[in-house]
Amino acid sequence: MDTVPGKKILIVEDSRLQAQIAADILSRHGYMIEIALTAEETLKKASGPECPDLILMDIDLGEGMDGTTLSRRIQQVKDIPIVFLTAISTREAVEQVRSVTRYGYVLKGAPEHVLVSTVEMALKLHEALSLAQMYRRIVEGSLTEVYIFHPGTLKFLAVNRGARENLGYTEEELLDMNILHLMPEFDGESFRALLAPLQQGEKEKIVFDTIHRRKDGSLYPVEAHLQLFGHGKDGIGVAFILDLTEHRKMEEKLRQQGEFLQSLLAALPVGIFIIDPASHRIEEANLEAAAMIGAAPEEIAGRSCWEFFPQSAGKCPITTSNEEIDRSERLLRRKDGREILVLKTVKRLRTDSGEKLVETFIDISERKYLEEELYRLSITDPLTGAYNRRYFLEMLEREIERKQRTEHSLALIMFDLDHFKSINDRFGHAAGDRVLKSLVTAFKERLRKTDCLARWGGEEFVILLPDTTAAGAASLAEELRHRLSQMEIPGVGHVTASFGVTGYCSGDTVETIIQRVDSMLYRAKENGRNCVCACQ
């Protein structure tokens, strides 16, 4: 799991049991957990010096407590991401969540990976939003004059504080002006000719010296750096203006800030697409997305997002169902054709140039593999690869419940290697282990996928046979006994086993059917071993 060690989660829930269930899940994935059962306790923890990194809050906290109201009070104190726990996912519930948090919700009782993935994505989204806010503060607080303008009308779209203070204009005054008001050496025709190499893609940046005019009419020499970002009508122009009297200092500061911003952007932990909602064409892709796909950002721009998410082709909950946000697990198709599993979130973004879709995704394929591998290890015997006793009992209980609802048959085989201790004594424990592994391998080849072969303990094994009568199980046991006796095991030779067989009887429980098959195995041993004893 791609969690960050030391992240603290505060679970707010009026049910101690529900809170502990969520706490146990998140603790297993490396998070530090605290639980709050009251609003007062929650506010104290959220506003304290060691506040949580994320709050997982029940939206319905019971009498006298309202999750949405409590969330608003918390957000007035600290900027802490809040993910809601809810038992329902109606439109009204979703709208209630959206009214107070941008980090979404998770249904109570959802699978473990859904809860953990939602928490992980919320933490990453909060990190990305914090970075974006920091970028805005860096630009606004920069001593360098920064002007953002429309390349067609040349009107200002934004002007940072450094420029406003140097020029003597207010922000409102500047937004009613264009760049020609500040550059008396240019008229519209000459300035557009200056922009032409940028618009035609011949140059990435143009640097030139000119004169700026302040509100009081005074002039000062500047070095102007012009760039265009985006294409066509959606592009924007940016002018970085350096007062030549502080040229050297400003140039060094700009270089350092540029390198810092590039490092931060390169380190963003999620892939990002900016998508046109009408055509579903990708307008921009960040470096993380490009790396996950195995292509350069310019190879991705202009292509349909459905080329990379073919399972979603023609289906977009955001545009077809008018949803604000969509989160799901999807297969991302790489350039080489290989597919990886990602957690994808799509959200609307309203900009001055129109609505966009922001699609973020993180690679969870390795985590999924590890989850599946951990689950496999938790249900199998590490030596033989057969299922372990705990898993077998779970499957037996499930099959007994199914048998009680239907007319399907059910049988068990329990078998024990004959004189296994003497094998270990004569040939060593490594040889004994080889016998056990050879037996399991040979028997698995004969059994069905629905059958459950488990190591009961030591050299004793048990087989669960759904949809099988006692007679059918006895016939299979005899076949397995014969197959084992004919096997030549390297370093050991031939071995035999004793088999007990029984079928399900009305009223059977896990304990009674296990006891009966065990008694049949004991009878087979009393009958001289290397034989099968069966009963209904």
Side-chain angles (χ1 to χ4, degrees):
M1 184 68 61
D2 188 18
T3 55
V4 179
K7 288 291 185 182
K8 183 187 296 184
I9 309 297
L10 176 62
I11 299 175
V12 182
E13 168 67 73
D14 60 344
S15 166
R16 186 176 293 276
L17 175 61
Q18 290 292 333
Q20 193 59 52
I21 290 173
D24 290 344
I25 291 173
L26 294 172
S27 294
R28 288 198 298 271
H29 291 271
Y31 292 104
M32 297 189 299
I33 305 300
E34 288 187 356
I35 294 175
L37 301 177
T38 67
E40 292 74 18
E41 185 181 6
T42 301
L43 287 171
K44 182 177 180 181
K45 291 180 180 294
S47 59
E50 296 182 1
C51 63
D53 298 294
L54 179 139
I55 297 176
L56 187 63
M57 181 185 297
D58 188 354
I59 196 169
D60 184 8
L61 294 171
E63 185 176 355
M65 298 182 71
D66 180 352
T68 56
T69 301
L70 181 56
S71 174
R72 291 189 178 96
R73 291 182 64 186
I74 291 170
Q75 291 170 347
Q76 290 173 357
V77 178
K78 288 282 182 69
D79 179 23
I80 302 174
I82 298 176
V83 174
F84 279 112
L85 279 169
T86 179
I88 55 176
S89 58
T90 62
R91 180 177 293 275
E92 291 77 12
V94 173
E95 290 299 327
Q96 187 178 7
V97 169
R98 290 178 183 152
S99 69
V100 292
T101 180
R102 68 184 74 183
Y103 300 100
Y105 67 94
V106 61
L107 290 176
K108 291 184 178 181
E112 179 171 329
H113 73 275
V114 174
L115 172 61
V116 177
S117 298
T118 302
V119 168
E120 180 183 333
M121 179 59 81
L123 286 168
K124 291 185 179 294
L125 176 58
H126 184 256
E127 180 183 351
L129 291 173
S130 298
L131 289 174
Q133 186 178 29
M134 183 172 64
Y135 299 157
R136 289 194 295 271
R137 289 175 178 172
I138 289 174
V139 171
E140 178 64 11
S142 173
L143 297 179
T144 303
E145 299 176 30
V146 181
Y147 302 82
I148 301 175
F149 61 93
H150 191 285
T153 64
L154 304 183
K155 289 194 66 174
F156 292 124
L157 303 175
V159 180
N160 78 335
R161 184 175 60 195
R164 298 194 301 268
E165 291 177 353
N166 198 11
L167 293 170
Y169 288 105
T170 66
E171 183 175 13
E172 292 73 20
E173 289 174 328
L174 285 166
L175 294 181
D176 284 332
M177 299 166 61
N178 63 51
I179 201 166
L180 299 178
H181 289 113
L182 306 182
M183 295 185 176
E185 292 184 336
F186 289 93
D187 57 20
E189 183 179 354
S190 61
F191 192 83
R192 288 187 173 86
L194 188 68
L195 289 178
L198 297 176
Q199 294 173 320
Q200 295 166 8
E202 297 174 2
K203 292 184 178 180
E204 293 183 357
K205 181 168 67 173
I206 294 176
V207 180
F208 60 96
D209 293 342
T210 186
I211 301 296
H212 258 208
R213 179 166 51 202
R214 296 187 178 93
K215 184 178 181 178
D216 62 9
S218 62
L219 302 176
Y220 61 101
V222 298
E223 180 181 276
H225 297 242
L226 290 186
Q227 291 180 261
L228 290 183
F229 295 91
H231 305 282
K233 64 179 182 180
D234 294 327
I236 60 171
V238 179
F240 298 94
I241 303 299
L242 302 180
D243 188 331
L244 290 181
T245 58
E246 296 289 334
H247 173 67
R248 292 177 180 264
K249 294 180 181 180
M250 294 301 102
E251 184 176 70
E252 178 62 18
K253 192 172 187 67
L254 181 63
R255 183 189 65 80
Q256 292 176 352
Q257 289 178 345
E259 290 179 354
F260 178 61
L261 289 176
Q262 288 177 355
S263 298
L264 288 176
L265 288 172
L268 277 175
V270 295
I272 301 175
F273 285 163
I274 305 299
I275 299 171
D276 176 71
S279 64
H280 291 92
R281 296 285 173 184
I282 300 168
E283 296 182 351
E284 293 184 43
N286 74 339
L287 292 177
E288 180 71 12
M292 292 170 67
I293 292 169
E298 55 268 23
E299 295 181 77
I300 299 171
R303 297 169 64 178
S304 168
C305 61
W306 291 329
E307 290 186 44
F308 303 101
F309 293 102
Q311 289 182 323
S312 304
K315 296 175 286 187
C316 179
I318 297 295
T319 55
T320 59
S321 304
N322 203 33
E323 297 289 341
E324 286 293 326
I325 188 169
D326 176 62
R327 180 179 291 108
S328 57
E329 291 185 3
R330 288 288 184 267
L331 288 174
L332 172 67
R333 179 172 292 171
R334 289 171 45 85
K335 181 180 179 180
D336 59 13
R338 185 167 62 88
E339 293 182 333
I340 58 175
L341 185 65
V342 300
L343 179 63
K344 179 166 73 79
T345 300
V346 186
K347 195 177 188 307
R348 295 179 184 273
L349 177 66
R350 293 174 177 85
T351 70
D352 292 339
S353 59
E355 185 174 88
K356 306 293 180 185
L357 299 182
V358 179
E359 191 167 272
T360 62
F361 42 93
I362 58 174
D363 185 352
I364 60 172
S365 55
E366 182 178 355
R367 190 189 72 202
K368 278 288 186 181
Y369 169 78
L370 291 175
E371 288 177 352
E372 293 169 358
E373 183 65 13
L374 287 173
Y375 176 69
R376 184 189 67 80
L377 292 173
S378 73
I379 64 174
T380 56
D381 171 53
L383 173 64
T384 64
Y387 291 113
N388 58 29
R389 183 170 181 158
R390 180 182 60 81
Y391 180 76
F392 174 83
L393 290 174
E394 290 177 2
M395 294 300 296
L396 176 57
E397 184 174 10
R398 188 181 305 171
E399 286 300 320
I400 288 176
E401 291 176 356
R402 187 170 78 99
K403 167 62 183 172
Q404 292 169 348
R405 297 193 308 268
T406 67
E407 294 302 319
H408 294 288
S409 53
L410 171 64
L412 293 185
I413 298 174
M414 182 175 282
F415 60 94
D416 192 358
L417 283 163
D418 296 331
H419 307 296
F420 186 70
K421 183 177 183 302
S422 66
I423 294 174
N424 281 330
D425 292 342
R426 291 175 58 198
F427 303 108
H429 287 282
D433 290 348
R434 191 159 56 249
V435 170
L436 296 177
K437 290 189 284 189
S438 299
L439 177 152
V440 169
T441 300
F443 283 16
K444 277 185 175 180
E445 293 175 353
R446 174 61 183 83
L447 297 176
R448 304 167 299 179
K449 289 185 177 180
T450 55
D451 300 334
C452 179
L453 169 62
R455 188 178 183 185
W456 189 248
E459 67 274 18
E460 196 170 9
F461 293 81
V462 62
I463 305 174
L464 172 63
L465 300 166
D467 304 313
T468 305
T469 64
S475 176
L476 174 61
E478 180 58 39
E479 181 182 339
L480 296 176
R481 184 201 65 79
H482 179 73
R483 174 179 289 210
L484 177 63
S485 66
Q486 297 300 308
M487 287 172 53
E488 177 75 27
I489 298 176
V492 176
H494 296 281
V495 297
T496 62
S498 302
F499 291 76
V501 179
T502 190
Y504 175 85
C505 295
S506 179
D508 258 338
T509 64
V510 170
E511 291 76 15
T512 58
I513 195 170
I514 288 291
Q515 186 177 16
R516 194 164 59 250
V517 75
D518 185 63
S519 66
M520 290 297 100
L521 172 58
Y522 184 74
R523 183 180 299 176
K525 292 180 180 179
E526 286 186 326
N527 289 348
R529 294 185 170 84
N530 192 23
C531 64
V532 176
C533 284
C535 70
Q536 172 52 41

